[in-house]
Amino acid sequence: MSRLLDIQSLSIGFSAYGQYRQVLHNVDLHVSEGERVSLIGQSGSGKTVTMRTIIGTLPMPPGKVEQGSILYDGRSLLDLNVQERNRLKGTGISIILQDPMLSFNPVLTIQRQMDDIIRYADIRLERRRTKGERHAHMIETLRKVQLRDGERVLESYPIMLSGGMRQRVLIGMALLNQPSLLIADEPGTALDVTTQDEILRLLNTLVDDEGLSLLLITHNLGVVRQMADRVYVMERGHIVETGTRETIFEAPQHAYTRKLMAAVPPLYGDKVQTVVHHGADPMIDVRAATKDFQTRGGLLNRATASFRAVNDVSLTVNQGDIFGIAGESGSGKTTLAKMIMGLTTLSHGDITISGRNVAGFAGSQEFRKLVQIVYQNPGSSLNPRRTVADQLAVPLKFTGSDSTAIKTRISELLDLVDLPQNYASMYPHELSGGQKQRVAIARALSVNPKILVLDEPTSALDVLVQSTVIDLLHRLRREFDLTYIFISHDLSLMRNFCNRVAIMLRGEVVETGPVAEIFDAPNHPYTRALLSAIPVISPEEDALKPKITQEERASVLATSTLLEDE
Amino acid sequence: MSVIDDHETPDHGMTARQMAFFRFRRNPLAVIGALIVLSVVIMAVFAPWIAPSPESAGSFVNFRNRHAPPSWDNLMGTDNVGRDVFSRVIYGYRVSLGLVVGVLGVAVPFGVILGLVAGYFGGWTETIVMRFTDIMLALPPLAMALAITAVLSPNLVNAMIAITLLWWTWHTRLIYRIVKGQMNEDYVEAARVAGASHMHILFRELLPNCISAVAVKVSLDAGFVILFGASLSFLGLGIQPPTPDLGTMVATGSEYLPEMWWQAIMPGLAILYAILGFNLLGDGLRDMLDVEL
C-alpha cells in the first residue's frame, strides 16, 4: 500500500514571550491508503500542533518548522504555495473538528453552510455546478451520514439539531468534496456515550464504503481500540511508541503507553475494583423529589411552558457511601445534586440530610459545615483573580475562624491534598488542571464537612491526572469518614469508585443498587444501552458487556439518525 | 511529598504580570502613549517649575509683548494680553487633569458599584438600575451638560458635576455586562456555598475580575473627559478666565485666526497631544490585559 500521508522527522517550535520552545521532536508518522491511524496522547502532547501543521492552519510565526517534511500523495505540503494548498482543502484532506456546536455558524442554515463549502471548492478546482446539482449532492451526502430527511436538515439552523445530528452533518460537510484523507479531532468526545458510539460506527462505515483514510486524534483509548488499525502514542512532542492496534493494546512496550493503559478504569474483568461499604445510617434521604423549570417570556414575563428536569426521584444515601449518580447530559443529575445542596428549591417532595429538611436547613452555618461541593471545572470554580490562600480562606472566614486559625488550616489543607506550601500565594492560572482541582477539593474540605457532592470532578482532566485525583478522594474519605455523592457520565470510572449507583434517564432514576449488581446484571434497557456503548480497551471487557437488541435500544434512546429503516 | 503532575502547566518562566508587561513593551504605540501621558502628568504636577513664565497662568498682562509669534522666548507665542501660551498650556494641563481626576474619581466608583449590584442581584434591582442607566444614556450629553452648567453658573466645579452626572452610566453598563458573564462561572456559586456574604462576593470575588476592564476604560475615558471639558469651556460654560483652560484658550484664540494662529492652534494641539496619549495608553492596556470593551 502506498503512503497517502507521510510525515518525516517533523520538528516544530514556538516562540512566545521572547523564549523559544520546541513542541514537536522528530515526529515520524504515516497513513497508508485506506488505513485508519490513530494519534493518542494527553492534552499538551502536541497532537493538535501536528494536525494543524498538516492542514496548514498553524500560525507561523509564532510557530516554526525546524526540520522535516509532510508528504501528501507524494507532494511536499510544506513547500506548496497558497493556491496549491487551498486546492487540497476538503478535496484532498478534510477535517472533522471536536465540538459540533462551535464548528457551525449559528446564524446560517445548514444549507447555506454546506453550499459554501461546495461552491468554494468548485471555484478552486474551476468546476461549475448549478444550484440544483449542488443541492442534490448535499442530499446525497447527508444520506451517506445516515440523515435521510435531508431537506429538513438543510433548512435547519444548527441550534435546531441534536448534538448527534450536528456531528453527522459535520462529518457530511467534511465528505462533500470527496477527500481521500479524513482527519478527525476527538470526534464525538463532546457527545454522550451512546451518541458517540453511533458516530464512531458511522465513521467506520464511511471509511470502508468511501475508501477513505483516517487519521484520528484522540486521548480516549477506548475510541482508539474501536477505530484504528495502527496507533501512534505521543508524549511531550515525541512519538514514543507505534504499532498495530493489537500490539499496542496487548503488549505495550513504552512505559508511558503502559501508564496510559493502566490509568483507564476497567469496566469489566479482573482488574475491576469493587468498593464495598455497608453503611447502616441513612445520611441523605430524597423523597419523591421533583423539579419543574418554567420558561418565561412575553410582555409580562409569565410562565409560558414548564420543563420537568427531575421527576419523582427517591433515594437514600447511607453514611460512608460513595453514591454515584450516572446519566447523560440533560438527565437531571446536576439538578438533583443542586437540590441536595439546597441551591435549587424543590417543586415537590422532600430532601432530608441527617434528619433535617434541606428546605429550612440550607444556608445555615451548620449546613455548610455538613455538605460541600466540588465542581466539574476548576477553571471556573476557582476565582482567577484570587490566590489559592484567599480562596481556601473563604469558607473558614464565614464559619467564624480567626486569622491565625485560618492560616494554620490553609497550611494543613495544602498538605492534605499533596500540594507544596508555597502554592498558597499562587493564582489559579499558575497551576495545572489537576492541581487546580486539588485546590477545589481542599476548599470543600476546609470546614470539615461530612458530605461532599462531587459534580464530575475529573471529567475536565486527563486520564493520568484523573487517577491521581481519584486516589486522593479515596484517601480523604478513609481519613475523614466522608460520604460522597459522585455525579458523572463516566460509567467505567464509577464502577471502580462508587459502591452504589443510580442511573438517571430524562429526570427519572431508572435503576439503583450496588455497583456490582447494576453492572453485572443490569435490568433496565437504558442501563444496558449505556454500558454497551462504552468504548473499552480490551476484548475481554467487550465480551462481558451486556447485550442489547436494536428494539430495546430504540425504546430508550432517541437516535440521531433520521432513518425510517436501517 | 509528591508534586503532581501533568505537563500542561503554563510555563514561560514568567509570572502573569511579567507576561502582560512583555505584551505591553512589544507594542510601540502603547509605550509612546504611556510616555505622552507621563509627560502630561509631569507638566501638570510640576507646572510652577516647568513653566517658563508662571505668572502667565493668572491675570498677568504684558501689552508690550502681546500677539508675539512663537520664538525661543515664547515657544508657543503670546496671547492677546501678552501672556506666554506655552506656560498657560502647562497650567491648562493641570486644570484638565484636575477635571479628569475629579470626574472619574466620583463617576467610576459610583458606576462600578451600580453595575456590580445590578448584575449580581438581578431581578428588580437590575431592572431599575439598568433602565435608569438607559434613560441617562438617552440624553444628549453635551446638551445636558450645557443645561446643567447654565443653571448652576459656569465654573470648574459645576462643569465637573455636570460631566460626572453623565459619565457613570458607561461604567455601569460595562461592569454590568462583565458581572452577568461572571455569574455563570462556578466560583460565584462556590463562594455562596462557602457561606460568603453579598459584600464579600461583590467586592472580593467579582470586583477583582472587573478591574482590568475598568483600568482600560478609565485610561480611554481620561482623553474624552479632557475633550468634553474643553468643549464646555470653548462654549463659555466651563472654566472661566483667567484660569488657564485649554478649551477657553482655543475659544479666545480663535478670534485672532488665521493671522495669529498660534493662540488657538497651540492649545488645540495640546488637547490633541493629551488625548492621543491617553488613547494609545488605553489601547495598549487593552491588549496587555486582554479585555474586550
Side-chain angles (χ1 to χ4, degrees):
Chain A
M1 266 192 299
S2 65
R3 291 181 174 188
L4 186 62
L5 181 76
D6 197 356
I7 301 178
Q8 289 163 349
S9 63
L10 184 69
S11 294
I12 285 178
F14 272 97
S15 37
Y17 297 105
Q19 287 160 342
Y20 184 79
R21 236 181 1 155
Q22 198 174 344
V23 292
L24 289 189
H25 304 263
N26 293 309
V27 168
D28 284 303
L29 183 153
H30 70 267
V31 183
S32 301
E33 266 169 43
E35 197 184 23
R36 299 173 304 166
V37 171
S38 176
L39 178 62
I40 59 177
Q42 296 194 69
S43 49
S45 62
K47 303 183 301 254
T48 306
V49 173
T50 311
M51 176 200 85
R52 295 184 74 180
T53 316
I54 298 170
I55 60 174
T57 57
L58 191 73
M60 300 193 204
K64 184 173 160 263
V65 178
E66 283 180 12
Q67 56 152 358
S69 62
I70 302 177
L71 298 177
Y72 169 78
D73 214 6
R75 293 201 289 170
S76 171
L77 286 184
L78 297 173
D79 298 327
L80 293 182
N81 65 33
V82 180
Q83 280 90 23
E84 288 174 314
R85 252 208 109 117
N86 279 344
R87 219 169 273 191
L88 289 174
K89 279 185 188 163
T91 50
I93 303 176
S94 218
I95 180 159
I96 305 167
L97 290 168
Q98 179 171 8
D99 195 313
M101 191 68 225
L102 294 179
S103 305
F104 286 107
N105 184 335
V107 299
L108 301 180
T109 59
I110 300 292
Q111 161 125 15
R112 168 77 196 282
Q113 302 187 47
M114 289 185 96
D115 196 49
D116 280 352
I117 292 174
I118 307 181
R119 228 153 30 104
Y120 287 113
D122 282 354
I123 292 170
R124 285 197 297 268
L125 298 175
E126 288 151 20
R127 268 193 312 219
R128 282 187 153 275
R129 270 189 277 186
T130 64
K131 212 171 169 188
E133 281 167 346
R134 292 203 301 266
H135 184 83
H137 182 54
M138 283 187 256
I139 297 284
E140 190 198 314
T141 310
L142 288 176
R143 188 174 291 251
K144 275 187 205 161
V145 293
Q146 297 164 6
L147 291 169
R148 180 156 295 181
D149 198 356
E151 297 289 349
R152 211 196 81 195
V153 173
L154 286 180
E155 282 162 24
S156 309
Y157 287 91
I159 191 94
M160 296 156 77
L161 305 176
S162 72
M165 284 165 76
R166 281 199 287 263
Q167 184 78 66
R168 277 166 200 273
V169 173
L170 208 56
I171 295 172
M173 285 166 117
L175 296 178
L176 276 173
N177 297 307
Q178 286 95 16
S180 21
L181 176 66
L182 194 60
I183 300 177
D185 184 10
E186 308 269 7
T189 18
L191 303 173
D192 285 324
V193 59
T194 48
T195 323
Q196 174 184 313
D197 187 49
E198 286 175 20
I199 296 297
L200 297 182
R201 280 164 203 265
L202 171 68
L203 274 177
N204 268 337
T205 323
L206 287 171
V207 170
D208 291 342
D209 294 355
E210 308 282 308
L212 296 173
S213 308
L214 179 73
L215 176 60
L216 176 76
I217 292 163
T218 185
H219 67 274
N220 186 328
L221 288 166
V223 170
V224 172
R225 199 179 139 264
Q226 284 192 11
M227 298 289 297
D229 301 321
R230 226 152 38 76
V231 180
Y232 290 88
V233 183
M234 194 174 233
E235 185 198 13
R236 299 180 196 217
H238 297 271
I239 299 280
V240 294
E241 186 166 3
T242 171
T244 61
R245 177 181 57 195
E246 288 74 23
T247 53
I248 291 282
F249 278 91
E250 278 154 35
Q253 296 301 312
H254 196 274
Y256 179 73
T257 319
R258 285 201 215 135
K259 230 165 77 183
L260 273 184
M261 296 276 176
V264 177
L267 187 61
Y268 290 104
D270 312 330
K271 287 186 204 135
V272 169
Q273 292 170 334
T274 306
V275 177
V276 184
H277 174 82
H278 299 290
D281 314 323
M283 192 83 179
I284 302 170
D285 203 19
V286 180
R287 285 282 148 259
T290 300
K291 178 69 192 179
D292 294 318
F293 284 110
Q294 245 93 47
T295 329
R296 292 182 176 276
L299 199 59
L300 297 168
N301 209 23
R302 275 187 299 223
T304 48
S306 94
F307 162 74
R308 185 155 284 191
V310 174
N311 186 12
D312 196 21
V313 167
S314 296
L315 35 92
T316 308
V317 180
N318 292 326
Q319 207 276 323
D321 268 348
I322 305 182
F323 192 92
I325 301 175
E328 305 195 307
S329 50
S331 62
K333 54 189 194 304
T334 298
T335 310
L336 180 59
K338 294 217 160 157
M339 295 197 305
I340 293 171
M341 289 297 300
L343 292 167
T344 301
T345 55
L346 281 75
S347 304
H348 307 286
D350 284 306
I351 296 177
T352 52
I353 297 182
S354 284
R356 294 179 64 175
N357 197 322
V358 168
F361 190 21
S364 69
Q365 233 183 59
E366 235 178 304
F367 183 81
R368 290 197 296 269
K369 283 186 175 173
L370 188 63
V371 194
Q372 279 293 333
I373 183 166
V374 177
Y375 292 89
Q376 173 173 10
N377 181 0
S380 162
S381 72
L382 298 181
N383 190 331
R385 295 293 163 121
R386 308 198 74 211
T387 63
V388 168
D390 282 344
Q391 317 217 27
L392 293 179
V394 177
L396 298 167
K397 214 166 89 185
F398 288 95
T399 44
S401 305
D402 62 43
S403 60
T404 36
I406 291 178
K407 238 178 151 181
T408 341
R409 183 70 184 144
I410 287 174
S411 140
E412 275 172 28
L413 287 168
L414 287 172
D415 277 344
L416 217 53
V417 295
D418 295 336
L419 289 175
Q421 291 295 327
N422 64 331
Y423 276 40
S425 57
M426 289 196 181
Y427 285 90
H429 67 85
E430 297 173 79
L431 312 181
S432 71
Q435 291 166 340
K436 275 188 252 184
Q437 196 58 290
R438 278 163 195 267
V439 173
I441 292 171
R443 177 175 60 185
L445 285 177
S446 60
V447 290
N448 277 316
K450 294 276 160 284
I451 303 167
L452 270 196
V453 175
L454 306 165
D455 186 1
E456 311 224 20
T458 60
S459 62
L461 306 176
D462 275 322
V463 62
L464 285 177
V465 186
Q466 165 173 296
S467 64
T468 62
V469 171
I470 289 293
D471 288 344
L472 172 73
L473 287 170
H474 267 309
R475 200 193 80 213
L476 292 171
R477 173 169 162 271
R478 278 196 305 274
E479 260 177 64
F480 299 104
D481 209 10
L482 296 168
T483 305
Y484 288 157
I485 292 183
F486 184 77
I487 296 156
S488 181
H489 63 270
D490 185 345
L491 286 158
S492 314
L493 180 59
M494 294 181 117
R495 176 68 184 88
N496 297 277
F497 183 64
C498 303
N499 71 319
R500 289 204 300 141
V501 284
I503 311 279
M504 287 190 77
L505 169 67
R506 290 178 213 126
E508 290 176 43
V509 170
V510 296
E511 197 163 0
T512 176
V515 264
E517 278 175 34
I518 300 271
F519 280 70
D520 295 340
N523 275 320
H524 198 276
Y526 178 67
T527 317
R528 289 208 290 278
L530 266 184
L531 288 170
S532 68
I534 298 171
V536 290
I537 61 165
S538 71
E540 297 81 54
E541 291 175 72
D542 255 339
L544 289 165
K545 275 188 192 172
K547 304 284 173 283
I548 182 161
T549 62
Q550 205 56 50
E551 293 77 61
E552 277 186 316
R553 255 182 80 81
S555 71
V556 287
L557 296 178
T559 158
S560 63
T561 70
L562 288 177
L563 287 179
E564 302 86 60
D565 51 318
E566 190 175 5
Chain B
M1 191 167 55
S2 65
V3 180
I4 338 84
D5 43 7
D6 37 332
H7 28 269
E8 55 175 308
T9 324
D11 176 24
H12 297 287
M14 295 185 193
T15 64
R17 209 163 283 157
Q18 283 170 322
M19 278 159 67
F21 186 63
F22 183 89
R23 284 199 292 271
F24 190 80
R25 240 183 16 204
R26 281 257 299 244
N27 182 347
L29 285 178
V31 176
I32 292 173
L35 291 176
I36 293 178
V37 169
L38 189 70
S39 69
V40 170
V41 171
I42 289 175
M43 281 192 262
V45 173
F46 301 103
W49 292 277
I50 294 173
S53 141
E55 64 278 8
S56 294
S59 41
F60 165 82
V61 286
N62 180 4
F63 286 109
R64 256 175 302 171
N65 194 25
R66 63 199 289 241
H67 300 312
S71 66
W72 284 115
D73 289 335
N74 305 99
L75 280 177
M76 293 184 178
T78 61
D79 66 4
N80 55 347
V81 292
R83 294 178 294 197
D84 179 36
V85 175
F86 181 54
S87 301
R88 285 183 65 77
V89 162
I90 289 172
Y91 275 92
Y93 277 146
R94 206 174 220 203
V95 174
S96 295
L97 285 196
L99 185 73
V100 167
V101 172
V103 168
L104 296 182
V106 178
V108 173
F110 183 70
V112 166
I113 290 172
L114 276 185
L116 278 172
V117 167
Y120 175 68
F121 289 106
W124 280 108
T125 324
E126 175 186 324
T127 310
I128 292 168
V129 172
M130 293 322 291
R131 293 303 78 78
F132 181 62
T133 308
D134 287 345
I135 293 168
M136 291 303 286
L137 283 167
L139 301 169
L142 198 58
M144 272 300 290
L146 288 177
I148 294 168
T149 45
V151 171
L152 294 177
S153 84
N155 61 40
L156 177 62
V157 174
N158 288 340
M160 230 182 248
I161 293 172
I163 303 173
T164 307
L165 282 176
L166 297 162
W167 215 272
W168 60 269
T169 49
W170 299 104
H171 286 267
T172 304
R173 270 219 172 160
L174 172 70
I175 298 304
Y176 167 76
R177 215 190 59 210
I178 295 174
V179 170
K180 272 281 160 192
Q182 295 289 318
M183 290 302 282
N184 294 327
E185 300 286 326
D186 289 332
Y187 73 80
V188 180
E189 195 182 279
R192 244 184 239 154
V193 172
S197 62
H198 291 314
M199 291 298 269
H200 173 93
I201 297 179
L202 281 172
F203 294 104
R204 292 289 174 82
E205 304 281 347
L206 290 170
L207 185 60
N209 285 288
C210 303
I211 285 296
S212 29
V214 173
V216 174
K217 181 95 178 109
V218 163
S219 71
L220 291 171
D221 273 359
F224 287 110
V225 171
I226 293 175
L227 188 64
F228 207 99
S231 314
L232 279 183
S233 304
F234 181 82
L235 296 171
L237 288 162
I239 294 132
Q240 298 302 305
T243 314
D245 176 84
L246 298 170
T248 323
M249 287 163 75
V250 175
T252 14
S254 62
E255 291 167 27
Y256 303 99
L257 283 173
E259 290 81 14
M260 285 156 274
W261 53 272
W262 55 89
Q263 294 181 29
I265 299 294
M266 287 302 182
L269 286 177
I271 296 174
L272 178 76
Y273 178 75
I275 294 173
L276 185 71
F278 280 112
N279 279 352
L280 290 178
L281 177 67
D283 281 340
L285 284 177
R286 179 167 56 196
D287 294 343
M288 161 175 156
L289 301 169
D290 197 19
V291 291
E292 279 175 44
L293 286 186

